[in-house]
């Protein structure tokens, strides 16, 4: 089943995001290589795909896991969590229709 991992950043997270981004992306690439990643990306702080200094305010990942517990455990081990980028992370089942 797919799960949506919806993350909200702390204020002024840009430096922490930048420092831990390679490890964060490596985990996503691993999911993609396994065919389990449906989509992933950050939420720009402003209405622009390139927000510049405004940065990002969170992320959305939709991926396949065997259970909600596995999806939550994967989200909890994200390098952004460990680096203190995320203030809050919500994991929910996701039903793909289109």
């Amino acid at each position: 089943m797919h799960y949506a991992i919806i993350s909200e950043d702390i204020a002024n997270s840009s430096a922490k995001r930048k420092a831990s981004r390679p490890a964060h992306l490596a985990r996503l690439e691993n999911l993609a290589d396994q065919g389990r990643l449906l989509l992933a990306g950050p939420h720009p702080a402003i209405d622009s795909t390139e927000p510049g200094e405004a940065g990002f305010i969170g992320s959305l990942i939709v991926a396949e896991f065997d259970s909600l517990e596995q999806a939550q455990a994967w989200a909890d081990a994200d390098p952004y969590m460990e680096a203190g980028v995320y203030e809050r992370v919500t994991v929910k089942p996701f039903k793909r229709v289109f």
Side-chain angles (χ1 to χ4, degrees):
M1 180 165 187
H2 285 106
Y3 295 87
I5 301 169
I6 307 155
S7 307
E8 298 175 45
D9 285 18
I10 62 167
N12 304 311
S13 63
S14 294
K16 289 182 179 186
R17 263 185 176 270
K18 185 178 180 181
S20 52
R21 188 169 190 261
H24 173 77
L25 293 180
R27 292 181 81 232
L28 291 171
E29 288 171 4
N30 186 36
L31 281 180
D33 291 346
Q34 296 173 27
R36 296 171 45 202
L37 183 63
L38 186 62
L39 64 90
H43 298 288
I46 60 173
D47 189 14
S48 173
T49 59
E50 297 297 330
E53 290 186 23
F56 298 95
I57 57 170
S59 302
L60 171 63
I61 298 167
V62 180
E64 184 178 348
F65 294 93
D66 290 334
S67 67
L68 178 60
E69 292 78 19
Q70 285 185 0
Q72 184 68 60
W74 188 91
D76 290 344
D78 191 296
Y80 281 176
M81 284 292 289
E82 294 172 5
V85 172
Y86 292 147
E87 179 174 23
R88 179 181 9 244
V89 176
T90 304
V91 180
K92 301 178 182 184
F94 179 81
K95 181 180 175 183
R96 183 178 180 177
V97 176
F98 293 100

